[in-house]
Amino acid sequence: SMEGERIRSAKMAAIELVNRVPDDVAMGLYVFDGYGEGERVKLGINNRVAMLKKIQEIDASGGTPLGRACVQGTETLVGKRAMQLGYGEFRLIVLTDGESSDSLNPFARRMQDLVNKGESIPLYTIGFQLSGDHALRKWSVFYQNAQNLEELKKALADATAELESFDPVK
């Protein structure tokens, strides 16, 4: 199926990304799929094995509650940055193949709030085979709409280009 092909490509690209990220970079995984939504891997370092396992287990069905996921991801990073007294480079990387099934307004308000305080968390949005621009584009410091696996891998590589020199990242 087309759906199966898309999810396989997304998983392959994500696995390649996780394998490329240095050990001292903190990663976390928030997923929404047929099993529900939530943080599948907590933000932390040395969690590559858990990340790879949870990516493999993602099921293609389910809604696209991007608004909630983006708020949750942002709050996790804001909390981590506060714990580190502002030290570190943080980014929220969103990979989606569809528009949000819930409202992006709470996320937009939170982003605006952080921007106003000079504390924004950079959003990197990678769309996969979208029909047009995604609603998240206007909040993104980086935006790509990949059409195939090669473009998807390149977009993820570009979104994480300076990871070797930054720590931590989501």
Side-chain angles (χ1 to χ4, degrees):
S1 73
M2 195 62 220
E3 181 66 30
E5 192 56 45
R6 290 215 324 240
I7 193 72
R8 271 197 302 280
S9 293
K11 286 182 183 183
M12 283 167 66
I15 286 164
E16 186 171 291
L17 166 70
V18 169
N19 279 325
R20 209 180 49 239
V21 171
D23 287 333
D24 62 352
V25 169
M27 293 186 288
L29 183 69
Y30 189 103
V31 175
F32 38 84
D33 64 2
Y35 300 118
E37 60 177 290
E39 194 178 45
R40 303 276 164 92
V41 181
K42 284 192 88 59
L43 183 63
I45 61 169
N46 297 318
N47 57 10
R48 193 186 315 268
V49 172
M51 290 282 291
L52 294 172
K53 181 174 184 292
K54 292 300 180 185
I55 289 167
Q56 293 282 16
E57 292 171 359
I58 294 170
D59 167 58
S61 60
T64 311
L66 259 182
R68 276 200 302 276
C70 288
V71 168
Q72 180 72 46
T74 299
E75 296 308 341
T76 300
L77 294 175
V78 166
K80 181 81 170 169
R81 183 171 60 192
M83 276 168 52
Q84 296 184 185
L85 307 177
Y87 166 76
E89 172 79 12
F90 297 83
R91 60 186 74 170
L92 182 65
I93 299 172
V94 173
L95 173 57
T96 183
D97 66 357
E99 286 298 336
S100 188
S101 59
D102 66 350
S103 174
L104 288 172
N105 291 340
F107 175 62
R109 281 196 298 273
R110 185 66 176 121
M111 287 291 269
Q112 192 58 60
D113 175 48
L114 289 167
V115 167
N116 293 346
K117 292 181 189 162
E119 295 174 7
S120 58
I121 297 284
L123 172 66
Y124 291 70
T125 302
I126 299 165
F128 188 40
Q129 297 180 345
L130 301 176
S131 54
D133 275 358
H134 197 280
L136 286 177
R137 179 170 195 154
K138 67 171 176 279
W139 295 103
S140 304
V141 298
F142 174 96
Y143 178 89
Q144 289 279 289
N145 183 10
Q147 295 306 322
N148 54 50
L149 179 57
E150 286 317 306
E151 286 184 14
L152 188 56
K153 285 180 176 178
K154 182 175 185 322
L156 276 168
D158 290 347
T160 56
E162 314 95 10
L163 283 188
E164 286 70 26
S165 58
F166 285 140
D167 168 49
V169 163
K170 178 162 182 195

